[in-house]
Amino acid sequence: MEQSGLSRGIRALWGVEERPRRGPKPTVTVHEIASVAMEIADGDGIQAITMAAVAGRLGLTTMALYRHVDSRSDLVAVAADAALGRPPATSRRAGWRRQVGEWARAELAQLQAHAWVLDVILEGPPAGPNNVAWMDSGMQAIGRTGLDPQSAASALLVVDGFVRSMVGQARQYGPGTGWARALASVVDPDEFPAVSTALEAGTFDDDEAFPSDQDVEFGLSVVLDGIEQLIAAGSRR
Amino acid sequence: MEQSGLSRGIRALWGVEERPRRGPKPTVTVHEIASVAMEIADGDGIQAITMAAVAGRLGLTTMALYRHVDSRSDLVAVAADAALGRPPATSRRAGWRRQVGEWARAELAQLQAHAWVLDVILEGPPAGPNNVAWMDSGMQAIGRTGLDPQSAASALLVVDGFVRSMVGQARQYGPGTGWARALASVVDPDEFPAVSTALEAGTFDDDEAFPSDQDVEFGLSVVLDGIEQLIAAGSRR
DNA sequence: CGCGACTGTGTACGATGTAAAGAGTTAATT
DNA sequence: AATTAACTCTTTACATCGTACACAGTCGCG
């Protein structure tokens, strides 16, 4: 009665499909498919997720996958949801700052373990169960601020944005391929004084482990302080 | 003497290539290529950037493009740099808060006009001239805080992260395809109380124009307040 | 003039996503 | 028990796309 607007793979992840009465039982579940696709991406990046590769590992033909997912992009969506996993239980008794902080650090860890998730091109909001679980967990944490729902949602969005950008930056500036040196050879100090100065000062030199815990805590405290200000100002809006 | 580590297309964008002495003059410049590729992506998304499509619009064969860019991903990188454009001149006399705010709003506007830039899968940090120009502009603005360079860079990163996440969210939650309704049909209120409540309260209902200026100012003030706290605390670290 | 450097072309191939038709399998229906 | 509908997986085929390779034409230096 509801076509639900969700893709086949996502619908299957939610487990709301009634099992068909006739016909052979499927030899694989969407969860298995998602899991295999995730492993492939963990190893070789998102573009390594191909219908043939995933099917092959499952002992199926390429086309058999289409019984479980609508398309490659559905397959990727399903893999991405699997990569998120369930959020850890939060310490419900703690204050909002600690809870939100924990949530952010957990998300960061999860995304860093599967950084290719950032490469997923999404059409529409993520609707997988794990995605929703993280959202729920985050909203519970930020709800402790007492902010009105709209403000809380926006604030959580800022936190999430920070985490994702952190992961993204980590991949880019992390394992230095001599980026700083390459840039130095083309940047004109007169045109780009600030960048040029930073380059000379070594600000961009390959931080072996970027972001360090320090970097994370730094940015996180900036964001959380901002939210604190907001609360103090009495959630207008 | 220097292989510079940059791709052919990016190097050409910087204009540091010495013109070859012999041989026919190229019929197109990398800037033209980038511009055409950008227009294609503006119209039909990043995946519409194909070698054939770009070459076709320029009256070239597919293979001719390889004289100017190394690969498709180089082509996309070059198009993305073009899409950023040059950052607007900032009001240098203003305080840091206003300058950084302007910078962020400008970046937001630019990215919203070419949201596909967020879909670019980057291998290594962005090294195009426009990208560096934005970086320079941002670092000049945040430099006015008086924070030490490392802290300033980290803070700017938070701002940039916020802007990008805002654009990303805008695409996802914006022109509603009935996402909220679809989710409501699968979410169990007992399992995900916070999301469920928000769904019922209409928090996720299609905001016609999301993010509104209000949403942006809201998040931006959170971020800037955080930075202000940091300054007040006397930039430790 | 001719040689070398360079730009663009034509052809070919492999990888990939997916449409279409069919063979085999299971359970409800007769 | 036979039939039939619903379902899963396979086979085959094809269009799209990135790119390697060989080559033809063009310009400037010696």
Side-chain angles (χ1 to χ4, degrees):
Chain A
M1 57 191 295
E2 266 256 13
Q3 55 176 17
S4 87
L6 297 177
S7 68
R8 197 174 210 175
I10 297 295
R11 248 180 298 133
L13 279 187
W14 279 102
V16 292
E17 298 288 83
E18 67 262 26
R19 258 269 265 101
R21 301 195 130 22
R22 307 166 222 217
K25 288 163 196 164
T27 60
V28 295
T29 66
V30 176
H31 291 275
E32 292 175 282
I33 293 176
S35 182
V36 164
M38 181 194 83
E39 281 167 23
I40 291 176
D42 283 346
D44 298 319
I46 195 177
Q47 61 182 1
I49 298 185
T50 73
M51 303 302 277
V54 173
R57 279 217 203 177
L58 290 165
L60 296 178
T61 56
T62 302
M63 292 309 293
L65 282 188
Y66 286 92
R67 286 283 130 196
H68 302 92
V69 297
D70 285 333
S71 61
R72 173 174 187 270
S73 89
D74 192 19
L75 172 62
V76 170
V78 153
D81 196 71
L84 287 184
R86 287 287 155 141
T90 55
S91 34
R92 290 219 182 167
R93 294 255 159 244
W96 71 267
R97 190 164 176 128
R98 170 134 168 248
Q99 278 196 47
V100 174
E102 278 178 12
W103 181 84
R105 278 180 280 265
E107 191 194 13
L108 182 80
Q110 199 67 25
L111 285 178
Q112 278 192 314
H114 311 278
W116 55 269
V117 170
L118 297 191
D119 296 333
V120 176
I121 297 183
L122 356 82
E123 24 205 80
N130 286 339
N131 234 305
V132 171
W134 277 92
M135 196 170 194
D136 193 85
S137 166
M139 290 185 68
Q140 282 186 32
I142 198 106
R144 307 268 309 179
T145 55
L147 289 169
D148 66 281
Q150 282 288 357
S151 301
S154 292
L156 185 64
L157 220 135
V158 174
V159 175
D160 180 67
F162 163 70
V163 169
R164 296 183 115 88
S165 85
M166 212 67 188
V167 176
Q169 308 283 355
R171 284 203 300 171
Q172 289 177 34
Y173 300 92
T177 51
W179 173 73
R181 220 175 320 112
L183 259 201
S185 72
V186 287
V187 168
D188 174 0
D190 289 334
E191 198 177 358
F192 303 125
V195 167
S196 192
T197 304
L199 280 173
E200 281 166 25
T203 309
F204 296 140
D205 283 0
D206 309 334
D207 263 320
E208 256 327 301
F210 172 86
S212 65
D213 287 354
Q214 230 185 0
D215 293 315
V216 173
E217 293 309 317
F218 177 93
L220 196 49
S221 71
V222 168
V223 172
L224 294 181
D225 284 354
I227 296 176
E228 201 155 323
Q229 283 296 102
L230 177 68
I231 300 170
S235 85
R236 53 200 152 131
R237 181 199 148 129
Chain B
M1 56 192 291
E2 266 254 14
Q3 56 176 20
S4 87
L6 297 177
S7 68
R8 200 175 214 181
I10 297 295
R11 251 182 294 133
L13 279 186
W14 280 102
V16 293
E17 299 287 82
E18 66 263 24
R19 257 270 265 102
R21 299 193 134 24
R22 301 159 237 221
K25 289 162 194 164
T27 62
V28 295
T29 65
V30 175
H31 291 276
E32 292 174 283
I33 293 175
S35 182
V36 164
M38 180 193 83
E39 282 168 23
I40 292 175
D42 283 346
D44 299 318
I46 196 176
Q47 62 183 2
I49 298 184
T50 73
M51 304 302 276
V54 174
R57 280 218 204 178
L58 290 164
L60 296 176
T61 55
T62 301
M63 291 310 293
L65 281 188
Y66 286 90
R67 289 281 149 204
H68 301 92
V69 296
D70 285 334
S71 62
R72 174 173 187 268
S73 88
D74 192 17
L75 173 62
V76 170
V78 152
D81 196 70
L84 288 183
R86 285 292 154 138
T90 55
S91 36
R92 290 221 184 167
R93 293 257 160 244
W96 71 266
R97 189 161 175 129
R98 171 136 167 245
Q99 277 196 49
V100 173
E102 279 180 12
W103 181 84
R105 278 181 280 264
E107 192 194 14
L108 181 79
Q110 199 66 26
L111 284 179
Q112 277 192 314
H114 310 279
W116 55 268
V117 169
L118 297 190
D119 296 332
V120 176
I121 298 183
L122 354 82
E123 26 204 81
N130 285 339
N131 234 307
V132 171
W134 277 94
M135 197 171 193
D136 194 85
S137 168
M139 289 187 68
Q140 281 184 33
I142 200 112
R144 306 267 308 179
T145 55
L147 289 170
D148 67 282
Q150 283 287 359
S151 301
S154 292
L156 185 63
L157 219 133
V158 174
V159 175
D160 179 67
F162 164 69
V163 169
R164 296 183 114 90
S165 85
M166 211 66 187
V167 176
Q169 309 283 354
R171 285 203 299 173
Q172 290 177 34
Y173 300 91
T177 51
W179 173 73
R181 218 175 323 113
L183 260 200
S185 74
V186 287
V187 168
D188 175 359
D190 289 334
E191 196 176 0
F192 303 125
V195 167
S196 193
T197 303
L199 279 173
E200 281 166 24
T203 309
F204 297 140
D205 282 1
D206 308 337
D207 263 322
E208 256 325 303
F210 172 89
S212 64
D213 287 356
Q214 231 185 358
D215 293 315
V216 172
E217 293 309 317
F218 178 92
L220 196 50
S221 72
V222 168
V223 172
L224 295 181
D225 283 353
I227 296 177
E228 201 155 322
Q229 283 298 100
L230 177 69
I231 299 171
S235 83
R236 54 204 151 130
R237 179 194 151 132

